[in-house]
Amino acid sequence: MVAEPRKPPPRIFLKLRRALGGKAGWGGLALQVLFVAVLVWIGYEIIDNARGNLAAQHVASGFGFMSQTAGFGVSQTLIPYSETDSYTRVFLVGLLNTLLVSVVGIVFATIIGFVVALGRLSPNWLISRISGGYVELVRNLPLLFQILFWYLAVLGALPGPRESISIFDAFFLNNRGLVIPKPIGHEGLVAFTISIAAAVIGCLLLRSYSRRALFQSGRVVVVWPYVLALLIGVPLATILVFGIPVTFEMPALKGFNFSGGTRVTPEFVALAVALSTYTAAFIAEVVRAGILSVHKGQMEAGASLGLSRGSTLRLIVVPQAMRVILPPLTNQYLNLTKNSSLAVGIGYPDLFSVFAGTTLSQTGQAIEIIAITMGVYLLISLVTSAIMSFYGWRVTRSMGG
């Protein structure tokens, strides 16, 4: 008798094997299961070893320590804080300080980076060489060295409070920081803030309307008088109705220090300047590469339309280059945020310094504190990446990509 041919396995069975094991089939699936089992075993051993060490040192695990009294001061706080506050408050203070220096650094690094990139592409020989020298010098020096340079060699060499450098008798620069007028809010501040936000939203809507009219019908709509009226008229009307929203407390020298006003610490200034200038050198190369990726015929097309070099770059070249610029630019933003943890080198009270440093040394809760710190930095990175991805999607959509 002739043996009947074997029936092929059902198609759904083949799809399942291909999905789980890839081209290697069941052998690939077995390797994946083995790999996951090894990872689980390693994780179990790490956790078991940590539990044993904590038990031997009589250290209780958990997050109950967050409600305990911190007992130490912080030199810069954006929210009210005292030594009697809990470690949760310390965490919030450090987190806000990290976000502050990161946002300031990102803003200034972006501005400096774009300016230096355009300088490197400038037809002016001197500007091009100066910009190139800046990039080669700054990005090849360690960041910690630059932070210490600004803190010790520049800000540390400034005169004392009694010999402060005065700017319009309102700003005073000395080796203890920058003393500036302190804003004091009044009852009309909320209404004034809302009016500013409404005016900005109105300006954006007018800009969108004018661009749509230009691209769809070629009609030029002049909106700048309305924009000016919104930005000046709406806040001014709010002031007339609700009163002055903000007054300023001026600093004054009394004895050996200033009273009144508010002080920007030298640690913050040194860290922000170092992060901005260092990251700007890398951003400059990213922007330069993005601009060079656009065909040179775009510059020639702009010139044939009678546009200046600056207008051609702003209206034609840079918008096209943004699709190339944004991914590595996002990486530089993430690097700047993570590099802010070097603030511990000069005593700036960021998250890593006051929480993963002082708090950890006082409580001994290493696992919990390191896990929280890692989670915060991870969350900041994911949020930054999401914002930049959304902006990149908007750029691609506006370019018709």
Side-chain angles (χ1 to χ4, degrees), residues 150-275:
W150 286 105
Y151 183 64
L152 299 176
V154 177
L155 298 178
L158 291 173
R162 303 189 68 177
E163 293 80 26
S164 297
I165 301 173
S166 176
I167 306 173
F168 305 116
D169 288 331
F171 303 88
F172 300 91
L173 182 63
N174 54 63
N175 56 13
R176 296 185 184 180
L178 177 64
V179 184
I180 61 177
K182 180 181 179 179
I184 301 176
H186 297 287
E187 294 180 357
L189 180 59
V190 175
F192 181 78
T193 304
I194 294 175
S195 68
I196 291 289
V200 171
I201 293 174
C203 294
L204 293 176
L205 292 176
L206 286 173
R207 177 179 179 271
S208 177
Y209 168 73
S210 64
R211 288 172 61 89
R212 193 182 307 113
L214 178 63
F215 293 146
Q216 292 180 356
S217 62
R219 183 166 53 94
V220 177
V221 179
V222 180
V223 298
W224 70 264
Y226 305 102
V227 170
L228 198 61
L230 282 173
L231 292 178
I232 297 178
V234 175
L236 182 59
T238 305
I239 293 175
L240 294 176
V241 173
F242 296 95
I244 300 296
V246 177
T247 57
F248 291 91
E249 180 185 75
M250 304 301 294
L253 180 64
K254 292 185 178 180
F256 295 97
N257 209 342
F258 284 88
S259 65
T262 186
R263 183 172 67 95
V264 181
T265 63
E267 292 82 11
F268 172 79
V269 175
L271 183 63
V273 171
L275 288 174

Side-chain angles (χ1 to χ4, degrees), residues 64-333:
F65 72 95
M66 294 292 288
S67 60
Q68 298 176 6
T69 301
F72 63 90
V74 179
S75 59
Q76 174 180 307
T77 61
L78 299 180
I79 57 177
Y81 171 80
S82 66
E83 296 182 0
T84 59
D85 285 328
S86 65
Y87 288 118
T88 302
R89 196 72 171 180
V90 173
F91 168 77
L92 294 176
V93 168
L95 175 60
L96 291 176
N97 286 340
T98 294
L99 294 176
L100 175 65
V101 75
S102 298
V103 171
V104 171
I106 285 173
V107 171
F108 283 100
T110 303
I111 296 173
I112 297 172
F114 269 82
V115 171
V116 173
L118 296 177
R120 290 206 68 182
L121 297 172
S122 173
N124 186 294
W125 183 88
L126 181 60
I127 294 177
S128 177
R129 293 301 179 272
I130 292 176
S131 301
Y134 167 83
V135 170
E136 295 301 328
L137 174 66
V138 172
R139 71 174 181 172
N140 287 301
L141 292 176
L143 176 56
L144 182 59
F145 168 80
Q146 297 186 43
I147 294 174
L148 294 174
F149 168 78
W150 286 105
Y151 183 64
L152 299 176
V154 177
L155 298 178
L158 291 173
R162 303 189 68 177
E163 293 80 26
S164 297
I165 301 173
S166 176
I167 306 173
F168 305 116
D169 288 331
F171 303 88
F172 300 91
L173 182 63
N174 54 63
N175 56 13
R176 296 185 184 180
L178 177 64
V179 184
I180 61 177
K182 180 181 179 179
I184 301 176
H186 297 287
E187 294 180 357
L189 180 59
V190 175
F192 181 78
T193 304
I194 294 175
S195 68
I196 291 289
V200 171
I201 293 174
C203 294
L204 293 176
L205 292 176
L206 286 173
R207 177 179 179 271
S208 177
Y209 168 73
S210 64
R211 288 172 61 89
R212 193 182 307 113
L214 178 63
F215 293 146
Q216 292 180 356
S217 62
R219 183 166 53 94
V220 177
V221 179
V222 180
V223 298
W224 70 264
Y226 305 102
V227 170
L228 198 61
L230 282 173
L231 292 178
I232 297 178
V234 175
L236 182 59
T238 305
I239 293 175
L240 294 176
V241 173
F242 296 95
I244 300 296
V246 177
T247 57
F248 291 91
E249 180 185 75
M250 304 301 294
L253 180 64
K254 292 185 178 180
F256 295 97
N257 209 342
F258 284 88
S259 65
T262 186
R263 183 172 67 95
V264 181
T265 63
E267 292 82 11
F268 172 79
V269 175
L271 183 63
V273 171
L275 288 174
S276 301
T277 53
Y278 179 77
T279 309
F282 293 90
I283 291 179
E285 289 299 277
V286 168
V287 174
R288 185 175 73 95
I291 293 176
L292 291 178
S293 68
V294 179
H295 196 276
K296 64 179 181 180
Q298 298 294 313
M299 289 292 295
E300 297 170 354
S304 66
L305 294 174
L307 296 176
S308 63
R309 177 180 174 82
S311 298
T312 304
L313 285 171
R314 179 172 58 88
L315 299 174
I316 300 176
V317 177
V318 172
Q320 297 182 62
M322 288 303 294
R323 287 186 288 187
V324 178
I325 292 173
L326 283 178
L329 182 64
T330 302
N331 290 336
Q332 295 305 322
Y333 288 168

Side-chain angles (χ1 to χ4, degrees), residues 368-389:
E368 294 85 352
I369 291 177
I370 294 301
I372 293 174
T373 306
M374 290 173 57
V376 168
Y377 279 108
L378 177 61
L379 180 61
I380 293 174
S381 298
L382 292 176
V383 171
T384 304
S385 299
I387 294 173
M388 295 301 292
S389 297

